[in-house]
Amino acid sequence: MKRRHIQPNSRTFTTLFVGLSKIDDWTPYANILGRVFNTYDQLLAHFEKLRLTNPESPDITPWPLNGYLTLLGKTNHYARMWDVFYSMEGRLAPDEVTYSIMLRAIQSRLSLDLEPVETALDIEEKENQMMVQSETWTRFDDLDDAPEETLGLISRYFRPVVEKDRKESVHVKNAADARLLWEHLVKATRREPNRIQIDSSHVSLVLDLLAKGKPSDHLVAFDILHHYVDLQPPLSPSKISSSYKPSTTNVASRLPITSFIFSSLLDLCVRSARVESAINYFQLLAEKKTAKNVIDWKHMLHVMRAFAMRRAPKGQVPDAREAISALEWMLREQEARETTGNGGLNPAIDHFVYALTAAWKAADMNSALRVVELMTGMQRDKFINATPPVRESWRDRNTKQFPPPVMPQTPRYSRCRWNTTCMALLIKTAGATQRREDIRIALRILYFFGPSRFFGSQTGPQVEDAIAAQTELAKRTIWCIDYMLNTGDEERESAVWKKLRDIAADQLKRLAVTQVRNEEKAARQEELRRMETVEDGDMQLLVPVNGRRSGWATGM
């Protein structure tokens, strides 16, 4: 454009920055990133020229800066991003979109150790510096002849030992930045209520960031909920420090509850260990006909997790009936939505696992059996009075063959197959009741499915979790069978229980050996990685295993 003597305007810069902000990985575009920074300087010169000619020009707008802020967030240039944010004033003052962009950029920061994406000039400067350092090193034949500053740059052994402070958690840092942005946003709404207003995206993002912070951040988040969200809190509003004063400008017109706000709210309650508040908020919203459509399966994960974390008050008998009622409501609501063409409440295996966990903590076998009925479609009566016959493959005590698994009908819900974790939780629940009838039912269910369904070899990324679940199932099965055989009257199914115990004991030994082998394998891989990498200061020098030295080492 400049070669054709066409001057870019604010829309040109906006289009350029917004288009470049669509790039997710900037590592291959170091040359372009340096030119982007130069373009930002040109944008400032463009705004300055407009101020001199027409201070009230509509082209003086924060839109191009919003695109530039998005780009800085994706390239991890957070310090530069804050500098741009604080420099926005006057007609370039941040608007509603600016605050949303800043909050999303903070939300995407997953580590404080992430280095900003380097420009081509930065890479060249670093390479030149390393070359100068290596040349300075080779000019001296002995360590005593090298200058002190050179030794300090090259080798870690000559650096002064400095006690480093404990690294700050990225979530704590994000929460602190979110509080700072929220205070700026509240002040902006007070100063210019007609220009900028708080919307649902601001609230949901701030709540999500504060939920992962400190307890003081949780208090601020609950206070924001009380003042800005149209949802009556189940508990009295929290007291926060006098240094924080929320805005009361828009209290009369509170924001309606949305899917994002409700998700952040439930996550906040769970992370702050206020599970009763999460349950009460869910029940409050589920009773509203106009608001219950907001709830989806992700929200129910938080709700069921809250039931799993719940503890009964002192003097009360715990039970999991409310957790089962919430699960049944979810399934009924999903069927109703499917008839109208809406979805969003399809259950996942985690919903049932959380319900079983709540039943185990409450020692509520009736609730656990209700989960079995919901997942598999089988009724509990099938296992209450039935006496399983001894299978032919179990008659020989020396056989190592598993009984053939009995597969029930197709699971009622996709992705909800009765697995090892579910079976382990059911056995644990029966053991927690210490009632022979409950333990007998759980063992019959284990017999019905067959041990081979749960004790097979595991591979894949979640092999450690699978081994832990199998180990827990084997241990609990052995305990329950010993309890059945050593207490009370003689069992009619004692031969079946003894064979189940032998299988569980054999599997427990196998799992112990497998776990030791996995740990040894991980240790060997770690040792190989250390042998291949030689650390020297801030540089990592790769040395092949066969003993050949790298080019850097040869130059020594």
Side-chain angles (χ1 to χ4, degrees):
M1 293 179 63
K2 292 187 175 181
R3 285 197 299 265
R4 292 177 173 84
H5 303 287
I6 301 176
Q7 293 297 325
N9 54 22
S10 299
R11 292 187 178 182
T12 307
F13 288 104
T14 302
T15 304
L16 178 62
F17 286 133
V18 171
L20 291 173
S21 65
K22 303 297 181 182
I23 301 176
D24 294 326
D25 185 11
W26 274 88
T27 306
Y29 306 105
N31 293 327
I32 299 179
L33 186 59
R35 297 169 65 181
V36 169
F37 294 157
N38 295 333
T39 305
Y40 170 69
D41 296 334
Q42 297 174 14
L43 173 64
L44 297 182
H46 168 71
F47 283 147
E48 186 64 26
K49 187 182 298 184
L50 290 176
R51 286 194 187 97
L52 295 176
T53 57
N54 184 10
E56 302 297 328
S57 173
D59 286 341
I60 304 178
T61 172
W63 290 356
L65 295 178
N66 290 338
Y68 185 61
L69 288 173
T70 304
L71 186 148
L72 292 177
K74 290 190 175 182
T75 56
N76 302 328
H77 283 272
Y78 295 106
R80 194 186 293 260
M81 181 181 69
W82 281 102
D83 292 340
V84 174
F85 175 78
Y86 283 123
S87 67
M88 298 174 67
E89 56 185 7
R91 293 185 62 86
L92 295 177
D95 57 5
E96 298 173 358
V97 179
T98 308
Y99 288 100
S100 297
I101 290 172
M102 292 289 293
L103 290 170
R104 287 194 179 93
I106 295 172
Q107 188 182 42
S108 63
R109 181 171 55 187
L110 304 179
S111 174
L112 297 178
D113 297 330
L114 292 177
E115 295 292 335
V117 178
E118 296 178 334
T119 64
L121 185 61
D122 296 335
I123 296 174
E124 183 179 358
E125 183 178 353
K126 182 179 291 187
E127 291 177 351
N128 293 337
Q129 184 179 5
M130 293 177 62
M131 185 180 299
V132 170
Q133 292 174 2
S134 62
E135 290 178 355
T136 305
W137 174 269
T138 56
R139 283 200 295 266
F140 300 95
D141 298 330
D142 192 2
L143 293 179
D144 297 332
D145 299 330
E148 182 178 356
E149 62 271 11
T150 303
L151 298 179
L153 290 172
I154 296 299
S155 179
R156 60 177 176 173
Y157 301 106
F158 297 92
R159 293 180 178 178
V161 179
V162 179
E163 186 67 25
K164 295 184 178 180
D165 296 333
R166 187 171 178 265
K167 288 187 178 180
E168 184 181 16
S169 170
V170 63
H171 299 302
V172 174
K173 175 63 175 175
N174 291 346
D177 291 345
R179 289 184 64 170
L180 182 61
L181 280 172
W182 179 259
E183 292 176 359
H184 277 276
L185 178 58
V186 170
K187 292 178 182 178
T189 57
R190 292 174 181 171
R191 187 170 53 251
E192 299 177 284
N194 297 327
R195 177 179 174 270
I196 183 171
Q197 294 181 354
I198 297 175
D199 58 22
S200 59
S201 65
H202 300 141
V203 174
S204 62
L205 289 170
V206 170
L207 292 180
D208 182 70
L209 292 169
L210 293 179
K212 302 172 184 177
K214 299 179 180 179
S216 58
D217 299 322
H218 298 160
L219 296 179
V220 176
F222 280 110
D223 194 89
I224 293 173
L225 276 170
H226 174 66
H227 286 85
Y228 294 96
V229 180
D230 186 17
L231 186 64
Q232 186 66 24
L235 301 176
S236 59
S238 58
K239 296 182 180 180
I240 61 175
S241 60
S242 58
S243 60
Y244 180 81
K245 297 180 180 180
S247 172
T248 57
T249 305
N250 298 323
V251 170
S253 57
R254 292 175 180 170
L255 298 170
I257 190 71
T258 63
S259 177
F260 298 104
I261 292 180
F262 191 52
S263 178
S264 301
L265 165 60
L266 293 176
D267 186 42
L268 170 65
C269 293
V270 171
R271 289 180 180 272
S272 61
R274 302 187 182 190
V275 294
E276 290 294 338
S277 298
I279 295 172
N280 293 334
Y281 274 121
F282 159 70
Q283 294 173 346
L284 182 66
L285 198 62
E287 293 174 357
K288 294 184 178 181
K289 295 182 179 180
T290 57
K292 67 179 181 180
N293 291 331
V294 172
I295 304 175
D296 60 19
W297 70 274
K298 294 181 180 179
H299 301 140
M300 293 305 300
L301 279 179
H302 294 295
V303 174
M304 299 308 298
R305 184 183 177 188
F307 279 114
M309 296 171 58
R310 192 180 194 181
R311 294 183 179 180
K314 292 183 179 180
Q316 296 186 11
V317 178
D319 63 70
R321 289 178 293 179
E322 286 191 57
I324 304 304
S325 299
L327 185 62
E328 291 176 339
W329 176 89
M330 175 185 177
L331 301 178
R332 288 196 307 268
E333 187 67 19
Q334 172 60 20
E335 293 177 358
R337 292 186 185 184
E338 286 180 350
T339 58
T340 59
N342 297 325
L345 274 176
N346 289 317
I349 187 64
D350 292 339
H351 296 98
F352 295 101
V353 169
Y354 283 138
L356 286 169
T357 304
W360 162 56
K361 288 188 174 181
D364 189 352
M365 191 63 180
N366 289 329
S367 298
L369 291 176
R370 181 54 182 161
V371 176
V372 176
E373 294 175 345
L374 293 174
M375 284 191 67
T376 64
M378 300 182 300
Q379 299 300 317
R380 68 183 71 185
D381 297 340
K382 184 175 183 178
F383 306 100
I384 292 178
N385 300 318
T387 301
V390 179
R391 300 188 181 180
E392 294 297 330
S393 59
W394 292 19
R395 292 188 182 277
D396 185 6
R397 290 185 176 273
N398 296 325
T399 181
K400 298 296 182 181
Q401 180 184 359
F402 279 156
V406 177
M407 303 299 294
Q409 61 184 7
T410 305
R412 301 176 62 185
Y413 307 99
S414 59
R415 303 180 301 167
C416 298
R417 181 176 177 270
W418 186 260
N419 57 17
T420 308
T421 303
C422 298
M423 192 67 244
L425 287 170
L426 181 65
I427 294 289
K428 290 170 67 174
T429 305
T433 63
Q434 295 187 358
R435 298 178 68 249
R436 296 173 60 85
E437 296 80 3
D438 295 337
I439 296 176
R440 188 180 297 113
I441 293 173
L443 292 176
R444 285 172 177 173
I445 294 176
L446 174 61
Y447 173 88
F448 176 82
F449 284 102
S452 60
R453 181 185 178 96
F454 310 110
F455 288 120
S457 59
Q458 300 290 338
T459 58
Q462 298 181 347
V463 62
E464 294 183 0
D465 296 337
I467 292 177
Q470 291 178 349
T471 303
E472 187 70 14
L473 176 58
K475 289 181 179 179
R476 298 289 178 163
T477 301
I478 293 173
W479 185 92
C480 288
I481 292 176
D482 290 341
Y483 182 84
M484 292 291 291
L485 296 178
N486 299 328
T487 60
D489 301 332
E490 184 178 356
E491 284 287 315
R492 293 178 300 171
E493 305 152 82
S494 59
V496 176
W497 305 153
K498 289 178 181 179
K499 191 58 183 180
L500 270 177
R501 190 191 186 286
D502 293 341
I503 293 175
D506 292 341
Q507 291 302 311
L508 194 59
K509 295 178 182 178
R510 180 187 65 84
L511 292 169
V513 173
T514 303
Q515 188 172 5
V516 171
R517 289 177 178 175
N518 291 340
E519 292 177 356
E520 292 177 350
K521 182 179 178 180
R524 286 196 301 268
Q525 292 178 350
E526 179 66 18
E527 185 65 23
L528 289 175
R529 188 189 66 82
R530 291 180 179 178
M531 291 174 61
E532 293 175 358
T533 305
V534 178
E535 294 185 358
D536 188 4
D538 292 336
M539 296 180 292
Q540 288 188 345
L541 311 173
L542 299 180
V543 180
V545 182
N546 57 13
R548 295 177 57 190
R549 295 189 300 179
S550 64
W552 184 89
T554 306
M556 291 289 290

